[in-house]
Amino acid sequence: MDRFYITTPIYYVNDKPHIGHAYTTILADVLARYHRLLGVPVHFLTGTDEHGQKVWEAARKAGVSPQEQCDRMVVRFQRLWERLGITHDDFIRTTEPRHTEVVQEILADLHERGEIYRDEYEGWYSVSEERFYTEKELVDGRSPEGKPVEKIRESNWFFRMSRHQQWLVDWIESHPEFIQPEQRRNETLGFLRQPLGDLCISRPKARMPWGIELPFDRDYVCYVWFDALVNYISAIGYRRDEETFRRWWPADMHLIGKDILTTHTVYWPTMLHAMGLEPPRTIFAHGWWLSGGAKMSKSEGNVTDPMEMADRHGVDALRYYLMADMTLGQDAVFTEEAFALRYNADLANDLGNLASRVLRLVERHCDGRVPAPDDAGSGAAEAALREAVAGAVVEMEQRLQAMQLDRGLAAVIGAVRETNRYVDQCAPWSLARSGETARLGTVLYHALEALRIVSGLLHPVMPGRMAELRRALGLAEDEVEPHLDRLRTWGGLEAGRPAAAPPSLFPRIDRRRTAAAGAARGTAKPAGAAKKGGKPAAGTISFRDFSRFVLRTARVLEAARVEGADRLLRLVVDLGDERRQLVAGIAAAYAPEDLVGRTIVVVANLEPATIRGVRSEGMLLAAQHGDTLSVITVAGDVPPGTPVS
Ligand code: MSP
């Protein structure tokens, strides 16, 4: 690959950004950073979409001019990107002259060449999506996305999109990489099986004046999507700087959410074709972050503030969670509980623990310097470790090409686990005690090398913490930002360089505190199903309320009667990454030994309580019928701590 031009959608400035917006931008940043690590020149563009009805209405509500509304809101995005460590090369605002002038030139040119014409129009308009639907497209009198529509009849300007339909179908069919993942490609092809209409690209100023004026009709402004999509080429100098434009166009990747598939895979390529330009190489549509059973969005009232998450848990932890917990293309559920689980398992337990124990041993037994490996002493265990780490490098590279970032990260964390096992197996603390210095040096050197390579592979996702770790490993300043060739070869650490334990990289999150805080903060409104159906019926709870219960499997390790209480048993259970003590009123139905070894279901985020002087940190589930009581157990082979949903 000779260069990599990647874009995010440009975000509407009618509201402040939430986790969904942060996700796309972080993903683009991670991909940009990986390409830089591969040595590929990168151009990374993001920005804001500042025209159109939504912004206009937000400004009216706030009692300010639309431009003032944009100027106020844009800084929220810019500040967030700075806080999240986003390394974009350019930030475009659609109210900048470098954009508006190019849009007007494109409009004038298309008009002159007969690609734009005037006609009467009648259709169903969705204000929130800013687009028209035909009668046929409506579902139960609403847009296919479930938004309200109103019937509008007016004279407007149209882009002859239908002219380009056959070309687009041929292009999609002959370029399998153009729309990804496959499911979205099929969706677009399905959409194109119907005859494609022409696209209404104007809005009468009398109805909505906040837009770019049509150069050939001053009574109209340009439809916001026809304006916004052009950002991908106006920002890189289309019609202004031929050389820069040729260097970056066609874009390698437009990253979008699946909500804006048609505009990107139908409108945009046909617009480009009419302009005589090539389509982007890939449009990749990721899924949604769901919360309380619905897409996270301002209108559902179920948003999480990324600034707040970053303040509480650190930018890198947030970036890691978002990248590791979403399989690209599918939806994922955002919960603080899942965040804490993922963080504690991968970052605090595996990576953080490995780094701190190895570096502490180096401080203590090697004078805080990278030890020299003793070649004679490196045997099968070292060879296996090297192979595991090299395997992670190869897998990460392949998974990136296939846009399977979560699986690439899993492979890297797998290598971290291997390294922890290697350290356990070689027990360097015993080697230190018995004075086997040469072997100790070999073991610690190998563990440090593994850390050098995995920290390089994780650097694009967690640039802050991984830079700290790489400095602690004794890497020179010019190696803190990794290069792939150096990650492919073993032995990059120089013996004798100072190495020191960094301050705790990933302090554990106390999950019970997080769950309690999440529940106490709650959300502004019930979301999802409960909201759509109006008020929840008496006696029912919303999905959102249900999703606050954290149910997990637990293995019973110990069970005993509670002295002085005939009905109570005290259980110690394994919840995967911790042990808990529970008190349950089941002694009449179970002898303690009946339960040991069984896998039960526990409410894991219940406030602890003290029952008959014994602390209980959760509750087990049981079915009760008259006097018969039966503890819910889990059949099959699931590890303790598995979420139950
Ligand atoms: N302004 C248009 C895009 C124009 S691009 C030429 C727009 N803006 S938006 O502010 O609504 O942002 C939409 C994008 O934000 C989605 O495509 C997606 O990238 C991201 N997300 C918003 N909510 C999201 C989730 N709940 N989950 C994942 N991503 C989401 O549409």
Side-chain angles (χ1 to χ4, degrees):
M1 187 183 276
D2 54 337
R3 46 90 173 160
F4 186 65
Y5 174 28
I6 182 164
T7 66
T8 72
I10 48 171
Y11 303 102
Y12 288 127
V13 284
N14 53 332
D15 248 311
K16 62 177 196 178
H18 60 69
I19 287 283
H21 306 117
Y23 172 71
T24 314
T25 311
I26 292 172
L27 175 59
D29 185 62
V30 167
L31 295 173
R33 285 175 185 264
Y34 271 120
H35 280 83
R36 291 190 200 112
L37 180 152
L38 292 168
V40 176
V42 168
H43 190 71
F44 169 15
L45 173 70
T46 189
T48 41
D49 189 351
E50 305 196 346
H51 291 124
Q53 190 139 348
K54 280 188 199 174
V55 176
W56 188 58
E57 272 169 11
R60 271 208 313 199
K61 255 192 221 151
V64 295
S65 74
Q67 189 63 59
E68 233 178 301
Q69 162 78 7
C70 297
D71 295 347
R72 276 185 191 183
M73 293 304 294
V74 72
V75 288
R76 301 221 186 192
F77 287 85
Q78 289 167 334
R79 268 194 225 130
L80 179 64
W81 302 155
E82 198 180 315
R83 174 87 171 90
L84 296 181
I86 305 301
T87 53
H88 49 286
D89 298 288
D90 194 2
F91 186 102
I92 189 157
R93 302 180 56 183
T94 54
T95 51
E96 288 176 80
R98 66 166 168 154
H99 174 75
T100 54
E101 287 168 15
V102 170
V103 171
Q104 285 190 318
E105 281 177 31
I106 292 171
L107 285 164
D109 181 52
L110 293 179
H111 180 239
E112 240 164 63
R113 292 193 294 107
E115 292 278 358
I116 289 176
Y117 65 96
R118 191 179 178 132
D119 202 2
E120 273 299 301
Y121 188 76
E122 188 175 88
W124 294 94
Y125 188 69
S126 155
V127 175
S128 66
E129 293 161 86
E130 305 205 27
R131 57 165 292 190
F132 281 100
Y133 289 97
T134 60
E135 185 89 40
K136 270 199 298 197
E137 285 174 301
L138 300 186
V139 181
D140 298 332
R142 285 175 168 256
S143 83
E145 296 284 328
K147 307 285 182 200
V149 289
E150 52 189 280
K151 195 164 206 172
I152 285 182
R153 183 184 175 80
E154 60 195 18
S155 172
N156 263 312
W157 291 92
F158 291 83
F159 163 50
R160 288 191 198 281
M161 191 159 70
S162 54
R163 261 191 191 172
H164 307 277
Q165 175 166 12
Q166 195 48 51
W167 163 82
L168 180 57
V169 171
D170 294 345
W171 184 273
I172 298 173
E173 277 174 350
S174 56
H175 294 81
E177 74 296 343
F178 177 45
I179 304 172
Q180 292 181 39
E182 181 79 16
Q183 180 197 358
R184 304 293 163 217
R185 177 170 184 262
N186 293 339
E187 209 174 300
T188 305
L189 282 171
F191 179 82
L192 288 169
R193 254 177 238 126
Q194 307 285 331
L196 193 59
D198 288 342
L199 182 67
C200 176
I201 57 136
S202 64
R203 297 289 177 266
K205 276 188 188 170
R207 179 152 63 83
M208 209 293 297
W210 183 236
I212 300 175
E213 189 176 275
L214 297 189
F216 43 83
D217 190 341
R218 304 196 54 186
D219 292 337
Y220 290 83
V221 293
C222 179
Y223 168 44
V224 66
W225 272 102
F226 206 85
D227 148 5
L229 288 160
V230 170
N231 91 87
Y232 301 134
I233 54 175
S234 62
I236 51 163
Y238 178 57
R239 287 177 165 265
R240 291 290 178 277
D241 175 353
E242 190 58 23
E243 205 186 314
T244 309
F245 180 66
R246 288 287 151 214
R247 174 158 165 65
W248 298 113
W249 194 258
D252 295 275
M253 183 165 296
H254 287 330
L255 209 54
I256 59 168
K258 65 179 182 180
D259 45 336
I260 51 177
L261 185 73
T262 312
T263 48
H264 278 80
T265 60
V266 179
Y267 298 3
W268 182 224
T270 53
M271 284 166 67
L272 287 164
H273 191 237
M275 288 178 226
L277 295 176
E278 237 184 271
R281 289 181 180 148
T282 293
I283 297 165
F284 190 98
H286 63 70
W288 288 336
W289 281 99
L290 308 175
S291 162
K295 178 190 176 200
M296 188 185 283
S297 80
K298 173 73 199 239
S299 55
E300 293 285 349
N302 59 352
V303 296
T304 299
D305 181 350
M307 252 332 173
E308 199 195 299
M309 281 298 280
D311 287 346
R312 274 192 295 135
H313 303 297
V315 168
D316 287 339
L318 174 63
R319 290 174 60 113
Y320 180 78
Y321 167 70
L322 292 176
M323 295 303 108
D325 252 39
M326 182 178 269
T327 297
L328 275 168
Q330 294 172 19
D331 291 345
V333 178
F334 185 97
T335 67
E336 295 233 4
E337 177 68 10
F339 177 94
L341 268 175
R342 167 71 72 175
Y343 174 98
N344 282 344
D346 295 2
L347 301 182
N349 286 3
D350 291 336
L351 180 58
N353 192 24
L354 176 67
S356 82
R357 63 186 182 141
V358 170
L359 283 162
R360 265 199 222 119
L361 286 164
V362 170
E363 270 186 348
R364 201 169 313 143
H365 302 296
C366 312
D367 290 333
R369 305 211 164 256
V370 174
D374 174 6
D375 288 342
S378 59
E382 285 69 35
L385 178 69
R386 283 199 297 268
E387 201 175 304
V389 173
V393 178
V394 172
E395 181 154 4
M396 187 55 167
E397 226 184 318
Q398 288 168 347
R399 298 291 185 191
L400 263 173
Q401 295 304 327
M403 290 293 276
Q404 294 172 330
L405 202 52
D406 59 327
R407 296 177 68 177
L409 289 174
V412 179
I413 295 297
V416 170
R417 289 193 185 122
E418 281 302 317
T419 314
N420 267 321
R421 261 195 288 277
Y422 167 79
V423 172
D424 291 343
Q425 182 194 334
C426 300
W429 43 88
S430 308
L431 297 172
R433 242 181 280 128
S434 56
E436 292 170 72
T437 329
R439 177 78 189 130
L440 174 67
T442 300
V443 171
L444 290 180
Y445 185 85
H446 276 77
L448 288 173
E449 256 303 286
L451 275 168
R452 177 184 71 84
I453 295 172
V454 296
S455 65
L457 292 175
L458 294 173
H459 185 277
V461 179
M462 297 185 284
R465 287 286 189 261
M466 291 307 101
E468 262 177 64
L469 174 55
R470 292 171 70 74
R471 288 195 182 98
L473 294 173
L475 286 171
E477 219 30 52
D478 65 346
E479 286 202 57
V480 168
E481 285 231 349
H483 304 279
L484 189 67
D485 344 332
R486 305 222 183 105
L487 303 181
R488 281 193 186 120
T489 44
W490 190 265
L493 279 178
E494 233 178 276
R497 287 193 59 97
S504 174
L505 286 173
F506 302 107
R508 277 186 71 81
I509 297 176
D510 179 340
R511 294 223 327 281
R512 272 159 290 166
R513 277 230 310 267
T514 314
R521 252 194 323 282
T523 42
K525 291 188 251 169
K531 181 171 174 257
K532 287 212 176 76
K535 268 189 169 182
T540 64
I541 59 168
S542 67
F543 181 79
R544 174 161 201 88
D545 288 340
F546 172 70
S547 65
R548 294 225 181 107
F549 289 82
V550 176
L551 302 177
R552 294 167 65 206
T553 63
R555 183 154 306 134
V556 181
L557 301 173
E558 295 168 27
R561 295 190 183 280
V562 175
E563 248 177 69
D566 317 339
R567 293 183 45 250
L568 300 183
L569 286 187
R570 180 183 68 83
L571 308 180
V572 176
V573 298
D574 176 5
L575 261 183
D577 53 356
E578 63 177 312
R579 285 179 174 204
R580 296 249 190 116
Q581 175 171 280
L582 318 179
V583 176
I586 52 173
Y590 291 88
E593 58 276 15
D594 294 345
L595 288 166
V596 175
R598 312 258 296 257
T599 298
I600 61 172
V601 178
V602 166
V603 183
N605 61 338
L606 201 66
E607 237 174 38
T610 303
I611 304 172
R612 294 289 183 100
V614 184
R615 189 171 161 84
S616 181
E617 304 163 313
M619 198 164 93
L620 57 74
L621 297 189
Q624 188 160 18
H625 178 71
D627 290 339
T628 316
L629 190 129
S630 176
V631 169
I632 310 280
T633 56
V634 178
D637 189 19
V638 293
T642 304
V644 175
S645 53

